[in-house]
Amino acid sequence: MPVVEARAVTKVFRDFWRRPKVRAVDGISFEVRRGEVFGLLGPNGSGKSTTLKMILGLLHPTRGQLAVLGRSPREVRAKARVGYLPEESYLYPYLTPDETLDFYGRLFDLNARERKQRTAQLLEMLGLQHARRRTVGEFSKGMARRIGLAQALINDPDLVVLDEPTSGLDPLGCRQVKDLILTLAKRGKTILVSSHQLADVEDVCDRVAILYSGRIQAMGSVQSLLEDTHQCRVTFPDLPAAQMQPLLAAFRTALGTEPGIEHPRRDLEQFFLDVVEKARRAGGESSGAAATQGVADYLKAPASPESALQNLLPQPAAPAATPPPSAPVDNAAALREADEKLKQLLKPGSGA
Amino acid sequence: MRTVWAIALLSLRNAVRSRVVVLLLAVLVLGVIGIPLTVKSDGTLAGYVQILVRYTLGFSMGVLLLATVWAGCAAVASEIQRRQIHLLVTKPVSPAQLWLGKWLGLVILNTVVLAVCASVTYGLLRWNTRAGQLSTADAQKLAGEIMVARARVAPEPFAVEPRVRQRLADLQTRGELPTNMAPEAIYKTLLGVAQLEAHTVAPGGKITWRCELPALGGSAPEFQVRYKLAAAALAPLRLQGRWSVHRERAGQPFELVTEHPAQGQQSLTVPGTALAGEGALLVEYANLNEAGVTLLFDPEAGLAVLVPVGGWLSNFLRALLISDCLLALVAALGVTAGSLFSLPVAAFVVFQLLIMFSTAGMIHSFATREASFAAALPGMVKAPGWVDVVMSWFYRMLEVLIMPMQNDDPLAMVATGEWIAWPVVAWTFVKQILLASGLLLLLAAAALRRRELALPTD
Ligand SMILES: Nc1ncnc2c1ncn2[C@@H]1O[C@H](COP(=O)(O)OP(=O)(O)OP(=O)(O)O)[C@@H](O)[C@H]1O
Ligand SMILES: [Mg+2]
């Protein structure tokens, strides 16, 4: 059973006199399967948020069917296992982060102990521990966004719906959100993200649908959509010209044409991360969101029936001590390293 | 339940942090302290208690009522407007839980604020009447007549209708019904005349009221008979009469000859011994004046027997509970209106409803007019047209909705030492909280379930 199933869903916004005004979503059909990261891509106003709001029951489809976890999105019961980050953080300005997360935790009927534990872990993960006593109203956009993200995860949801999760976040936060998405996916959680940050989507999504003016223009796995099966890239360390020459000659003979050759570039994201990390090590203080690594412990617990029980056991300290990636050369290496880190994080008893 | 509490707590936090409550409390406490200083009392002790309890605390109630309308409407409406609802309804929160949480928050807030105002009022009352502050006579009056709780027992009304109907029928058979007057008007006029006749006592004549007393716990040292005279003779004539108060069976009658002005509110203090015996209490008045001095008791205000049945403070508490029920009902109205409409529209709707509540008496008369005349004058009133029928049904439906929500002003009752029985409190609770607020909850829940909460409201 797919986690989200949309069949010919159409949304027409009407004006006060019920005359059709905008056709925001136009007969889209797709399904999101258990454990996958599904991306909704599209330019501004293409209907991404509208689609997500329908999946959450905040809007009702004009036509077509929607099922979330096998239920109508308007059913209250279905919501216990869903986490949602809206496009903007609609938080209560007079609450502190602690109170905010505690409030949403109560709505999920979590007991006091669990709420306290999860709140602490989420704030640690999102680097907002030092701002616990300030009210959310005075937070910067990115800080508020982080609280929004935390409230979406407080119930350890099976389906996480993130509407442009990286908007307003610094590159560090972006990287972290992406790590988080990958970690959650590894635990068998289903994630539905919308974005127009193509690089973000490419890094984390298994499958994507590209929306344009309310219609799906392309859909499939990122691999299948982007793979250029006619080309191939080989990477090896930079060699002295003397050693390079015979290699190139061999290529030339085999291909019959000149092979492309260039130094791989670090991407700007990785470069930025490195610079910030250096500055942080040099001891710069910031009143904004602190640079942190890793993922809250309870979000990494194996997704098994015992997980609830495990949450009650004393938790090991969060793995804040994991060293940051040490200036890898290219994106592939960064991803590999991230993968390594995640693997390590996912090992039972990690972080102890 | 945890969800409901969480939402209630959230609204309380909001109220406290946004300093609205602080401001409200400041205004109210200033009012409670300031009004008695500025309003001119009639100089009597009873007048002072009236000002403090009825007007000053009544002022607090009024302010609180308006604040509740606004806060109630804003509870859900502004949450929708600021889109915080997006995060709320995507959690497992049912519309009913949302409503209950918001409502409970308001009820708690109102209760606290009302309790503070009432405590200040009571404190002031006690402080200004503390030992040594009043003369012995005044102190006695305060304890015995003002700060008491007396059940107000109205006598059975005089049965004048059969007589009026008979007269009307006589006039009709004799063909003497005025043709230039609608039968309703004739009936009404005759009824008024008959009421006046029943309340008139000619020289040498006598009038008797019959009161069914409630079960009295313990014996009262004394009780009051309160009555009002209409000006039937020219003031400043002084009237002489003899009162006789006793039980129907085996009673020890209390008799007293009085002399008092020919108009205004009067009070007669009767020793408790007159309550001995069984059956209804009979109150008789004999006109002892010389020929020509006829007496008219006010047919509207009439006469009432006031029997002490409990302490003042517990009565005050019951009045506050009833007031709190009213605030809770207004909060429910507000939260429901806010679930249906955007903030300004919701506030407008609730104020309209409150105006309708306050004109309930008019609606009641509209609703009952047609029906009572048709029943009273069979064959005389011509069948009403369809407009009349529709309007009459409309008013009757309004009446069904509105009349049960009407209370006698509980603060006015406490101020005059009138007893408020526990069953009255319980009934107020049942009808205003369980029934009316419950219905409003259902209405709001149904609306919220159907509504697309992500649509902008402005
Ligand atoms: N409440 C509304 N009333 C009328 N039109 C609306 C409403 N909400 C959205 N729309 C319209 O529907 C279309 C899709 O909007 P939507 O918010 O889904 O876009 P989006 O893909 O999320 O864009 P963005 O990348 O800017 O967030 C837009 O044309 C928008 O104007
Ligand atoms: Mg959007």
Side-chain angles (χ1 to χ4, degrees):
Chain A
M1 180 187 69
V3 176
V4 178
E5 190 173 16
R7 268 207 225 110
V9 172
T10 297
K11 178 68 195 176
V12 179
F13 286 107
R14 296 171 189 278
D15 65 7
F16 181 80
W17 308 105
R18 307 211 37 83
R19 287 175 307 196
K21 200 167 51 174
V22 184
R23 186 175 287 259
V25 172
D26 194 1
I28 63 171
S29 301
F30 63 91
E31 50 177 60
V32 181
R33 300 178 202 128
R34 178 170 303 279
E36 79 174 345
V37 182
F38 189 93
L40 275 180
L41 293 189
N44 291 139
S46 53
K48 305 182 294 290
S49 299
T50 305
T51 307
L52 296 186
K53 281 175 190 161
M54 285 193 286
I55 287 170
L56 286 150
L58 288 168
L59 293 172
H60 306 157
T62 312
R63 269 187 298 284
Q65 267 104 48
L66 257 179
V68 176
L69 297 162
R71 295 212 163 93
S72 154
R74 285 161 72 175
E75 256 182 69
V76 173
R77 263 181 305 167
K79 303 192 171 157
R81 292 160 60 201
V82 179
Y84 171 50
L85 171 70
E87 38 186 341
E88 277 169 51
S89 326
Y90 308 119
L91 301 167
Y92 298 101
Y94 46 85
L95 295 185
T96 65
D98 269 350
E99 290 164 346
T100 305
L101 296 185
D102 191 71
F103 170 66
Y104 290 114
R106 274 172 202 251
L107 299 187
F108 284 109
D109 219 15
L110 301 178
N111 61 44
R113 192 199 156 96
E114 222 163 347
R115 292 199 304 269
K116 212 167 159 191
Q117 212 168 58
R118 289 186 179 188
T119 300
Q121 289 183 22
L122 283 168
L123 291 181
E124 156 111 48
M125 168 176 110
L126 294 164
L128 289 174
Q129 264 184 324
H130 64 286
R132 293 174 88 132
R133 306 262 169 267
R134 288 162 62 189
T135 55
V136 175
E138 47 186 76
F139 275 17
S140 76
K141 184 177 177 212
M143 288 164 83
R145 197 87 188 128
R146 285 163 190 252
I147 299 293
L149 199 61
Q151 65 78 32
L153 297 172
I154 189 93
N155 61 327
D156 194 11
D158 289 340
L159 168 65
V160 189
V161 179
L162 305 172
D163 198 348
E164 296 187 21
T166 52
S167 94
L169 290 187
D170 53 26
L172 214 72
C174 289
R175 179 74 249 168
Q176 220 178 355
V177 167
K178 287 189 273 181
D179 285 351
L180 180 75
I181 291 176
L182 291 171
T183 311
L184 292 172
K186 287 231 171 85
R187 277 182 63 211
K189 308 282 179 188
T190 310
I191 293 137
L192 179 53
V193 282
S194 88
S195 187
H196 38 225
Q197 304 285 319
L198 301 180
D200 292 351
V201 174
E202 188 183 343
D203 287 351
V204 296
C205 290
D206 300 316
R207 289 197 308 137
V208 293
I210 298 178
L211 280 179
Y212 183 78
S213 92
R215 294 204 198 97
I216 293 184
Q217 310 289 342
M219 180 159 62
S221 73
V222 175
Q223 186 68 18
S224 71
L225 288 178
L226 299 187
E227 197 173 40
D228 182 355
T229 45
H230 304 296
Q231 302 240 10
C232 177
R233 182 186 293 163
V234 181
T235 313
F236 47 82
D238 199 16
L239 298 172
Q243 287 176 25
M244 193 69 114
Q245 289 304 338
L247 280 175
L248 287 177
F251 273 122
R252 225 174 276 130
T253 338
L255 297 171
T257 62
E258 190 72 22
I261 178 169
E262 63 193 359
H263 281 297
R265 263 172 58 165
R266 277 192 268 182
D267 62 18
L268 185 57
E269 177 187 2
Q270 193 55 55
F271 179 71
F272 180 90
L273 290 179
D274 295 346
V275 172
V276 172
E277 176 56 23
K278 263 188 215 138
R280 192 181 69 81
R281 286 210 187 148
E285 264 300 319
S286 161
S287 71
T292 56
Q293 300 280 329
V295 171
D297 279 345
Y298 81 91
L299 291 174
K300 294 185 304 193
S304 62
E306 302 99 77
S307 66
L309 219 156
Q310 285 195 357
N311 277 327
L312 292 175
L313 295 173
Q315 296 278 324
T322 318
S326 52
V329 204
D330 63 10
N331 199 26
L335 276 181
R336 243 194 340 270
E337 171 136 6
D339 234 340
E340 274 307 315
K341 200 176 76 198
L342 287 167
K343 266 190 212 131
Q344 216 174 357
L345 289 173
L346 285 165
K347 255 190 265 162
S350 72
Chain B
M1 205 53 219
R2 192 179 299 198
T3 305
V4 172
W5 264 118
I7 297 175
L9 265 171
L10 182 81
S11 354
L12 288 179
R13 218 171 234 156
N14 178 14
V16 173
R17 301 235 167 122
S18 62
R19 295 182 188 81
V20 170
V21 177
V22 184
L23 196 72
L24 190 68
L25 266 177
V27 167
L28 290 179
V29 170
L30 276 181
V32 167
I33 296 174
I35 290 180
L37 294 178
T38 48
V39 173
K40 216 170 137 240
S41 129
D42 59 0
T44 64
L45 206 52
Y48 176 69
V49 173
Q50 280 269 336
I51 284 179
L52 209 55
V53 174
R54 183 174 183 179
Y55 300 115
T56 308
L57 208 51
F59 156 81
S60 311
M61 264 298 281
V63 172
L64 213 49
L65 216 59
L66 294 185
T68 303
V69 171
W70 192 254
C73 290
V76 176
S78 78
E79 188 116 355
I80 293 175
Q81 196 176 12
R82 295 184 193 155
R83 312 194 184 186
Q84 288 151 342
I85 196 110
H86 289 208
L87 287 181
L88 209 52
V89 297
T90 48
K91 309 281 182 276
V93 177
S94 70
Q97 285 173 320
L98 173 63
W99 190 97
L100 271 176
K102 294 289 182 190
W103 179 75
L104 200 63
L106 283 168
V107 169
I108 293 172
L109 204 62
N110 276 333
T111 307
V112 170
V113 175
L114 190 62
V116 169
C117 291
S119 307
V120 172
T121 308
Y122 186 69
L124 270 177
L125 184 58
R126 279 294 175 210
W127 176 250
N128 287 333
T129 58
R130 67 189 183 275
Q133 200 73 3
L134 300 177
S135 66
T136 330
D138 268 354
Q140 256 174 14
K141 195 168 176 211
L142 189 74
E145 274 182 50
I146 300 171
M147 297 205 39
V148 289
R150 292 170 300 204
R152 179 196 164 90
V153 188
E156 290 167 7
F158 296 115
V160 292
E161 286 211 21
R163 239 192 305 161
V164 173
R165 229 165 281 175
Q166 185 57 47
R167 264 182 93 177
L168 206 58
D170 287 350
L171 286 174
Q172 194 187 23
T173 40
R174 277 188 271 140
E176 289 176 4
L177 270 183
T179 44
N180 59 343
M181 242 174 125
E184 289 107 293
I186 301 173
Y187 176 81
K188 214 166 184 173
T189 313
L190 289 181
L191 199 64
V193 171
Q195 282 288 357
L196 284 181
E197 280 172 357
H199 285 85
T200 308
V201 199
K206 201 167 89 171
I207 181 170
T208 307
W209 288 272
R210 196 171 173 279
C211 301
E212 290 289 353
L213 292 185
L216 303 170
S219 61
E222 56 182 34
F223 63 98
Q224 271 86 26
V225 174
R226 198 173 277 179
Y227 57 97
K228 193 174 175 190
L229 289 167
L234 292 172
L237 196 66
R238 292 189 73 79
L239 300 174
Q240 295 217 332
R242 185 176 52 245
W243 289 95
S244 165
V245 184
H246 58 93
R247 290 276 200 174
E248 222 167 10
R249 286 186 298 280
Q252 170 80 32
F254 161 79
E255 301 215 338
L256 184 71
V257 174
T258 55
E259 202 194 64
H260 49 67
Q263 60 193 72
Q265 182 92 46
Q266 311 290 339
S267 176
L268 180 77
T269 300
V270 185
T273 48
L275 290 174
E278 280 171 51
L281 189 75
L282 299 181
V283 180
E284 287 174 6
Y285 179 82
N287 186 344
L288 299 183
N289 300 289
E290 68 268 28
V293 185
T294 293
L295 211 69
L296 174 61
F297 285 88
D298 188 331
E300 297 281 322
L303 167 144
V305 176
L306 302 169
V307 206
V309 271
W312 190 84
L313 190 57
S314 65
N315 208 37
F316 186 45
L317 198 73
R318 283 188 293 272
L320 291 175
L321 284 176
I322 290 180
S323 304
D324 209 29
C325 282
L326 179 66
L327 287 173
L329 175 63
V330 172
L333 266 176
V335 177
T336 296
S339 308
L340 296 169
F341 312 110
S342 66
L343 183 49
V345 179
F348 179 76
V349 167
V350 175
F351 280 122
Q352 286 297 317
L353 282 173
L354 289 184
I355 289 172
M356 234 151 74
F357 277 136
S358 61
T359 54
M362 219 164 72
I363 289 171
H364 176 70
S365 72
F366 285 162
T368 45
R369 188 166 54 189
E370 306 297 326
S372 73
F373 286 128
L377 314 167
M380 272 185 236
V381 180
K382 68 172 184 336
W386 68 268
V387 176
D388 296 331
V389 172
V390 169
M391 285 316 283
S392 158
W393 272 105
F394 172 72
Y395 283 122
R396 234 174 284 175
M397 266 169 52
L398 271 186
E399 188 194 19
V400 166
L401 289 176
I402 289 177
M403 285 316 280
M405 300 305 138
Q406 295 292 309
N407 293 329
D408 293 325
D409 178 0
L411 294 177
M413 289 174 76
V414 185
T416 51
E418 201 172 307
W419 165 255
I420 300 167
W422 273 113
V424 175
V425 181
W427 172 232
T428 309
F429 180 81
V430 168
K431 70 188 183 185
Q432 297 194 345
I433 306 289
L434 298 185
L435 296 178
S437 301
L439 271 177
L440 288 166
L441 160 64
L442 293 182
L443 179 65
L448 284 175
R449 206 164 282 129
R450 293 175 57 90
R451 220 174 140 177
E452 291 184 280
L453 293 169
L455 286 184
T457 52
D458 40 14

